[in-house]
């Protein structure tokens, strides 16, 4: 059986807030750690039938980047739910939400650039 490994290294400041985030994966293209500004990890808790979440971001992650990050996550989840369950209704609802959120963020960006 094949095994794959994903590693995260989080460097914290004196207030235990993420200062930098590095990640590496045995199956990723390229060698060595890469730097990122944010991670969002969700794990299904079989015992409690709920989701455990880890959301971390560095201080240099802008608000615009954060919003785009989560819209991208929702879009990916829409595709995953379709692939995993075949439920087109949930997938389309999530995609439509993403479209509305992109429109909202674009309108915000237009207002703030004036």
């Amino acid at each position: 059986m094949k095994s794959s490994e994903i590693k995260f290294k989080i460097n914290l400041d004196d207030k235990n807030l993420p200062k930098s985030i590095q990640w590496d994966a045995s199956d990723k293209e390229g060698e060595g750690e890469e730097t990122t500004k944010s991670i969002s990890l969700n794990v299904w808790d079989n015992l409690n039938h709920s989701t455990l979440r880890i959301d971390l971001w560095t201080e240099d992650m802008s608000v615009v980047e954060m919003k785009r990050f989560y819209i991208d996550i929702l879009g990916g989840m829409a595709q995953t739910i379709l692939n995993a369950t075949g439920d087109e209704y949930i997938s389309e609802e999530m995609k439509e939400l993403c479209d509305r959120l992109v429109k909202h963020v674009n309108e915000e960006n237009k207002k703030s650039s004036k």
Side-chain angles (χ1 to χ4, degrees):
M1 179 183 345
K2 181 179 176 183
S3 179
S4 183
E5 189 172 273
I6 302 170
K7 297 179 186 179
F8 294 100
K9 182 167 53 173
I10 315 301
N11 296 309
L12 305 173
D13 66 13
D14 57 348
K15 296 177 186 172
N16 286 331
L17 298 174
K19 193 70 177 163
S20 66
I21 303 170
Q22 286 81 33
W23 70 277
D24 199 3
S26 57
D27 289 346
K28 80 172 175 62
E29 290 183 22
E31 294 291 317
E33 293 180 344
E34 295 191 30
T35 300
T36 188
K37 294 180 183 180
S38 184
I39 62 171
S40 180
L41 179 65
N42 299 284
V43 179
W44 181 250
D45 179 351
N46 288 326
L47 182 62
N48 295 307
H49 297 279
S50 63
T51 303
L52 305 171
R53 297 173 39 108
I54 299 172
D55 295 302
L56 300 172
W57 60 95
T58 61
E59 62 186 11
D60 60 338
M61 179 93 172
S62 72
V63 171
V64 172
E65 289 174 315
M66 183 64 81
K67 289 178 183 181
R68 175 152 184 196
F69 179 55
Y70 278 95
I71 293 169
D72 284 350
I73 289 171
L74 283 171
M77 290 169 50
Q79 188 60 52
T80 299
I81 196 74
L82 181 62
N83 295 345
T85 68
D87 193 320
E88 292 180 15
Y89 176 80
I90 290 177
S91 179
E92 284 304 312
E93 288 293 313
M94 292 173 77
K95 288 177 186 176
E96 288 175 15
L97 173 59
C98 288
D99 291 342
R100 290 193 307 271
L101 293 173
V102 166
K103 183 179 176 184
H104 167 74
V105 169
N106 288 341
E107 289 172 0
E108 272 188 338
N109 290 340
K110 284 180 188 175
K111 288 178 185 176
S112 67
S113 66
K114 289 182 180 182

